Amino acid sequence: YTRSRFLPASKWRDARVSRSIITEGCLIFGAEIDHCIIGVRSRVQRGAVLKDCILMGADWYEDDGVRAENARQGRVDAGVGPDCRIERAILDKNARIGAGCQIRGYEGRPDQDGDGWFVRDGIVIVPKDAVLPPGTVI
C-alpha cells in the first residue's frame, strides 16, 4: 500500500544539522538545523536557523525558471527564505516564508491568530499554502 516517490537524495551544502530527520528530495543551503523534522521537497536557504521545528515539505519543486519569475514579480519562493530564524514552529505543506522572518514560539505564549499564522499551546503554526512576507516577526 505504499507508493514510491522516486525523489532524488537530499542535497546539503555548508549546512549544520544535528538531532534532526531530513527526508528525501530536500535542498538545504548554508542553514543551521537542530532538533527538527524536514519533510519531502523542503527548501531551506542560506543563513536560516531552525530549532524545534516541523516542516511538512512541498508538493512540487520550483525550478530556477519559476524562482526567477517569483523574484521579478515580488513573490516569495516556496520553503524557508534566507536569514530566517524559526523556533518551536510547525510549517505546513507549501508554506512560503520570506527572507529575514523571525518566528518564535515558547512555553506559555498566549494563543494568537495572525494573517497566515496562529499560535496554539506556545507553538507557532503556519497553515498549508500560507505566505509570510519578508521581514515578518511573530
Side-chain angles (χ1 to χ4, degrees):
Y1 295 106
T2 60
R3 180 173 39 145
S4 298
R5 291 187 187 93
F6 299 110
L7 292 173
S10 291
K11 185 187 295 187
W12 306 358
R13 290 213 174 131
D14 302 322
R16 293 190 331 196
V17 179
S18 63
R19 304 181 308 150
S20 299
I21 297 172
I22 310 290
T23 60
E24 66 271 13
C26 296
L27 301 170
I28 301 172
F29 305 106
E32 183 177 331
I33 299 172
D34 179 39
H35 200 242
C36 296
I37 299 172
I38 309 297
V40 297
R41 297 183 205 93
S42 291
R43 185 179 192 105
V44 181
Q45 296 292 334
R46 186 164 306 285
V49 177
L50 282 69
K51 184 173 182 190
D52 300 326
C53 296
I54 298 173
L55 274 67
M56 301 299 254
D59 290 327
W60 61 87
Y61 284 111
E62 287 186 346
D63 63 16
D64 291 337
V66 171
R67 295 181 69 235
E69 184 64 24
N70 286 346
R72 276 195 297 278
Q73 295 184 6
R75 292 186 299 209
V76 177
D77 290 330
V80 177
D83 301 318
C84 291
R85 181 160 183 88
I86 304 174
E87 295 181 32
R88 201 174 157 117
I90 299 172
L91 308 180
D92 206 344
K93 276 209 161 179
N94 305 322
R96 297 168 180 269
I97 310 300
C101 287
Q102 305 289 315
I103 301 172
R104 184 170 178 261
Y106 53 88
E107 192 74 35
R109 183 173 178 166
D111 292 350
Q112 292 177 283
D113 292 340
D115 188 23
W117 60 273
F118 52 93
V119 178
R120 297 294 183 268
D121 296 326
I123 300 170
V124 179
I125 301 162
V126 178
K128 186 174 183 177
D129 297 318
V131 177
L132 296 181
T136 301
V137 176
I138 301 173

